[in-house]
Amino acid sequence: MSLVRTIVRRRWIFLAFLAALHLVFVLGPENLIARWLFLSHIGLGLLWQPFVQPRRRLTAESAVVVVCAAALLAWLLDWGILLIWTVLLAGVVGGKVFVFPDRWERIFHLAGLGYLVMVVLVRVLPAAVSAHVSLDILPGELANLLATLILVFMALLPLRQGTLEERAEIVDFIYGMFVVLLLTVLVLGSLSFSLLYKVGYLESILITLGAVAGLLLLLAFIWNPRAGFVGLGTAVAQHVFSLGLPVEEWLQSLAELSRLEADPERFLSLACAELPRRLPGVRGGRWSVAGAQGEFGELHGHCTRYVHAGLTLELVTHGEPSPALRWHHDLIVRLLAEFYLGKWRARELQRLSYIEAIHETGARLTHDVKNLLQSLDTLCAAANEAGAPPSPRFTALLRRQLPEISARLRQTLNKLVEPGKQLQPAELPQTAMEWLASLEKRYADDATQIRGDGDLAACRLEAPALFFSVAENLLQNIAAKRRREPGLKASVRLLGLPEGACLEICDDGAAIPDALAQRLLRERVVSEDGLGIGLYQCARQAEQAGYRLSLLENRAGRVCFRLEPAPALEPASGG
């Protein structure tokens, strides 16, 4: 309700403001009562004015200046001062017409603007020049009656509920200045036509209105032509938005710096150093972001602070920047912040990729060490069984296993150094038959069947360590699964194919859950018996060696994995 009362009160204050001015016109500025009414008119204008906030308190000095200026204006009041005063008021009211979205509010202020324009042309101007020329267009009583009817019409206009919302009392300066200039042209044009061409005042007003209307139509066409030509509006917009600043050159230098410099702080320092050379009026400044800071250029002048996305930039200019320049500078800060964030994210992504690579390397090495530890556990168990004197069986096991463990340890160490700097030459290829015999000696038992198919003697394994890694990991998983499902059987099958060896490892246990099977071999998964990364690492090793590890079957009673050479990509056929 307080908001409603405020809006209604401002409307009635504006009506009283115009009514007091209307009484001054009726009585004439030479009347003493009219001068006192003009003082009250100024007081009502101070209450209605949209320039200064109503809650702002005037200082004693400001109040004295306002009272003295109003008293002096009332003391010197005549028709010439009223003419200038009314034209300025028409500009203020005209600047408020287009800021209201509601139709009735616009009609209310348009009626006020029409009242002021009418009294200027019909009442004030003829009275101001009456000592030199007669410009009576309407009798004074009829003009006063028309003005009174306009005020009554304004008082009767409804106040719709949609307008009862909080809004700032603002004046569009461009529209207000345009109304003042247009009304000035009407006044001077009408007076000039009447005096120069000795025509009636009404005819001169109509001629001036026609000329101004034609000029406005021509300007409207030039502003936005239809035949595909660029109008004056585009040129004005380019001028307003450029403000003479070589922003395009600065953007080009910014893009070049972004291409050459990867470090975000270094890029920000170089980009800020370009600002005094590229942007007129900018002398220097300071920047700070995420603990880093720097200075550039001269630091003596007016300092304006801009903050966006963690970037704080203080620009030092020769003088206080205009609102348009502040908008441009804020846009520049936003661009710098976005470029900086892009480079910072790229650096963080690189760091995270490096950490992920370290994690995957560590996980791969952990997997290899775990397999080696299992082999050492097997030797230790055999040593405990052998007793004091070394048995021939234990000696044969040592001769067979120790060279293999040594080779696999060397291969594991090679993963810790840069490519091309391996400690020893890469592993030598084996025949499929030799590899299968080695695996059979280590893992063959009643629960694990190992066999080969195809021409294994002619088939060579280029990456025997990969086959060992996959076989050991899958057989260890089957052993862990056998503890949950006693009596589980496993089978290992090595196929010697023309395109290369193929390894299949199966078990007759329960199927892998579908949700887990879809993620298996593609990402790290939660494991019941280990780190959950063994099969993932095996799949990555297979990709690097030119092989593919896949889940061949997944059903109750038969779960099979297959390691085979990856198919070569077929070249795209041309059109």
Side-chain angles (χ1 to χ4, degrees):
M1 293 302 294
S2 60
L3 180 59
V4 176
R5 287 195 298 267
T6 300
I7 297 176
V8 173
R9 184 171 65 249
R10 287 190 60 84
R11 174 178 282 202
W12 283 110
I13 288 175
F14 180 59
L15 283 174
F17 173 71
L18 294 182
L21 183 63
H22 179 64
L23 291 177
V24 174
F25 294 151
V26 172
L27 297 176
E30 66 279 355
N31 189 289
L32 182 60
I33 299 177
R35 295 174 186 271
W36 285 105
L37 285 172
F38 188 75
L39 282 175
S40 64
H41 165 74
I42 294 177
L44 291 170
L46 291 176
L47 295 177
W48 169 80
Q49 55 81 29
F51 301 103
V52 182
Q53 295 181 358
R55 297 179 180 87
R56 181 176 178 181
R57 291 182 175 272
L58 291 178
T59 61
E61 295 81 3
S62 301
V64 170
V65 171
V66 170
V67 171
C68 292
L72 181 62
L73 196 61
W75 177 261
L76 300 176
L77 188 64
D78 59 9
W79 286 109
I81 293 177
L82 283 177
L83 177 62
I84 298 174
W85 179 263
T86 309
V87 170
L88 294 178
L89 287 183
V92 174
V93 177
K96 290 176 64 67
V97 168
F98 301 100
V99 299
F100 295 105
D102 184 71
R103 181 182 63 180
W104 292 108
E105 283 289 312
R106 289 198 302 268
I107 292 175
F108 177 81
H109 286 84
L110 278 174
L113 178 60
Y115 164 80
L116 293 172
V117 172
M118 189 202 73
V119 296
V120 165
L121 295 177
V122 177
R123 191 76 176 85
V124 182
L125 180 60
V129 299
S130 60
H132 306 283
V133 63
S134 177
L135 297 178
D136 291 334
I137 185 175
L138 289 176
E141 293 77 7
L142 183 58
N144 293 333
L145 178 61
L146 288 176
T148 304
L149 290 177
I150 293 177
L151 295 177
V152 172
F153 171 76
M154 294 174 62
L156 296 178
L157 284 176
L159 184 64
R160 291 184 56 183
Q161 188 68 25
T163 64
L164 301 181
E165 56 184 11
E166 188 173 0
R167 61 174 182 268
E169 292 292 340
I170 60 175
V171 174
D172 192 311
F173 176 74
I174 301 299
Y175 280 120
M177 183 178 63
F178 182 76
V179 170
V180 170
L181 294 177
L182 185 60
L183 189 54
T184 303
V185 170
L186 287 176
V187 169
L188 296 179
S190 301
L191 185 60
S192 300
F193 271 105
S194 180
L195 294 178
L196 294 177
Y197 296 100
K198 306 301 180 182
V199 297
Y201 184 51
L202 178 59
E203 289 82 355
S204 65
I205 290 179
L206 295 177
I207 293 172
T208 307
L209 285 174
V212 171
L215 181 62
L216 290 177
L217 289 175
L218 180 62
L219 286 176
F221 176 77
I222 297 175
W223 188 270
N224 189 20
R226 291 294 184 269
F229 299 101
V230 177
L232 184 62
T234 304
V236 172
Q238 291 177 352
H239 174 72
V240 170
F241 281 104
S242 66
L243 294 177
L245 299 179
V247 179
E248 295 84 359
E249 296 180 3
W250 180 80
L251 289 176
Q252 185 176 0
S253 67
L254 188 67
E256 186 68 16
L257 282 175
S258 177
R259 185 181 65 85
L260 297 176
E261 186 59 50
D263 183 75
E265 285 77 18
R266 175 68 176 169
F267 161 78
L268 192 58
S269 177
L270 294 175
C272 290
E274 289 288 325
L275 291 176
R277 295 194 293 268
R278 301 287 184 179
L279 303 182
V282 177
R283 305 183 64 179
R286 303 181 183 88
W287 61 267
S288 62
V289 59
Q293 57 185 358
E295 298 179 352
F296 57 95
E298 301 180 7
L299 301 179
H300 303 288
H302 186 276
C303 183
T304 308
R305 190 168 182 262
Y306 303 91
V307 179
H308 181 70
L311 171 63
T312 301
L313 181 62
E314 297 179 358
L315 288 180
V316 178
T317 54
H318 293 283
E320 184 177 0
S322 64
L325 278 176
R326 286 178 180 270
W327 182 81
H328 274 77
H329 293 166
D330 183 72
L331 180 61
I332 287 172
V333 175
R334 288 174 180 270
L335 287 173
L336 281 175
E338 292 301 326
F339 271 90
Y340 172 81
L341 287 176
K343 292 190 171 296
W344 180 82
R345 293 190 183 104
R347 185 175 65 181
E348 287 297 305
L349 182 61
Q350 184 180 12
R351 185 180 66 85
L352 293 176
S353 300
Y354 180 71
I355 293 176
E356 183 179 7
I358 293 176
H359 172 74
E360 291 187 359
T361 302
R364 188 181 301 117
L365 295 178
T366 302
H367 172 68
D368 292 342
V369 170
K370 182 181 65 174
N371 292 337
L372 291 172
L373 181 62
Q374 183 182 12
S375 300
L376 291 175
D377 289 340
T378 303
L379 291 179
C380 292
N384 292 331
E385 293 176 359
S391 64
R393 177 174 174 272
F394 177 66
T395 303
L397 182 63
L398 285 178
R399 290 176 179 176
R400 184 175 65 249
Q401 292 288 347
L402 287 180
E404 182 180 347
I405 293 175
S406 176
R408 290 170 61 190
L409 276 175
R410 184 177 297 109
Q411 180 185 4
T412 301
L413 290 176
N414 283 339
K415 297 177 183 179
L416 294 174
V417 298
E418 299 179 11
K421 297 182 180 179
Q422 282 79 11
L423 299 179
Q424 294 292 340
E427 57 178 340
L428 297 176
Q430 292 181 335
T431 63
M433 183 175 294
E434 292 174 348
W435 183 90
L436 186 65
S438 176
L439 183 71
E440 186 174 7
K441 292 177 181 178
R442 295 171 55 191
Y443 288 100
D445 54 27
D446 295 339
T448 304
Q449 179 186 4
I450 300 177
R451 64 187 179 92
D453 292 328
D455 190 2
L456 298 182
C459 182
R460 298 182 66 82
L461 296 182
E462 300 296 333
L466 170 66
F467 278 74
F468 271 122
S469 178
V470 172
E472 289 175 349
N473 192 86
L474 289 173
L475 290 175
Q476 289 174 13
N477 290 346
I478 292 175
K481 188 176 180 180
R482 187 178 290 121
R483 289 193 292 269
R484 300 190 301 270
E485 303 177 22
L488 188 70
K489 301 293 184 180
S491 64
V492 179
R493 181 188 178 201
L494 183 65
L495 289 81
L497 304 177
E499 61 271 15
C502 177
L503 178 66
E504 292 182 1
I505 299 179
C506 306
D507 68 74
D508 58 358
I512 302 173
D514 293 338
L516 182 60
Q518 294 176 359
R519 300 168 53 201
L520 202 62
L521 306 177
R522 293 181 174 86
E523 58 182 276
R524 306 173 186 87
V525 297
V526 178
S527 173
E528 297 181 6
D529 306 290
L531 299 177
I533 57 175
L535 288 180
Y536 172 76
Q537 296 297 338
C538 288
R540 300 290 77 75
Q541 291 177 18
E543 290 179 0
Q544 295 173 4
Y547 286 81
R548 180 178 64 185
L549 179 62
S550 60
L551 180 60
L552 185 63
E553 289 186 62
N554 184 31
R555 55 185 175 85
R558 185 165 179 81
V559 179
C560 290
F561 287 86
R562 183 183 181 98
L563 177 65
E564 59 186 343
L569 297 177
E570 297 182 359
S573 59

